[in-house]
């Protein structure tokens, strides 16, 4: 498992999903309103095979994609 830290400049809705290499959504880390400041998103890949995954974080009008490698 790992913690993804996101800094929010203002309160707002944050959505974070994890996708595999084929673009299939494998986990939703957050889909809620968060206050201004730092948000910690927990990802546990216990039920997933080793490989490359992408975390897509949407906040306001911006989208950021984070590449993650899951090694067991």
């Amino acid at each position: 498992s790992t913690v993804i830290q996101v800094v929010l400049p203002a309160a707002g809705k944050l959505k974070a999903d994890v996708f595999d290499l084929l673009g299939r959504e494998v986990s939703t880390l957050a889909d809620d309103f968060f206050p201004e400041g730092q948000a910690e998103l927990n990802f546990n890949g216990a039920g997933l095979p080793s490989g490359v995954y992408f975390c897509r974080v949407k906040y306001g009008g911006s989208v950021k994609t984070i590449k993650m490698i899951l090694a067991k």
Side-chain angles (χ1 to χ4, degrees):
S1 68
T2 191
V3 176
I4 299 167
Q5 297 180 346
V6 180
V7 178
L8 305 174
K13 183 171 182 177
L14 174 74
K15 181 159 174 59
D17 299 305
V18 177
F19 297 88
D20 64 11
L21 275 175
L22 298 177
R24 297 178 293 208
E25 183 179 324
V26 296
S27 179
T28 297
L29 305 182
D31 189 9
D32 205 353
F33 285 90
F34 284 81
E36 176 183 354
Q38 187 168 339
E40 292 187 349
L41 310 174
N42 296 307
F43 173 63
N44 186 345
L48 299 172
S50 296
V52 177
Y53 293 88
F54 298 94
C55 179
R56 183 175 64 198
V57 179
K58 292 182 181 180
Y59 170 76
S62 65
V63 177
K64 178 164 179 131
T65 303
I66 303 162
K67 182 179 177 181
M68 303 185 296
I69 298 174
L70 179 62
K72 293 185 177 185

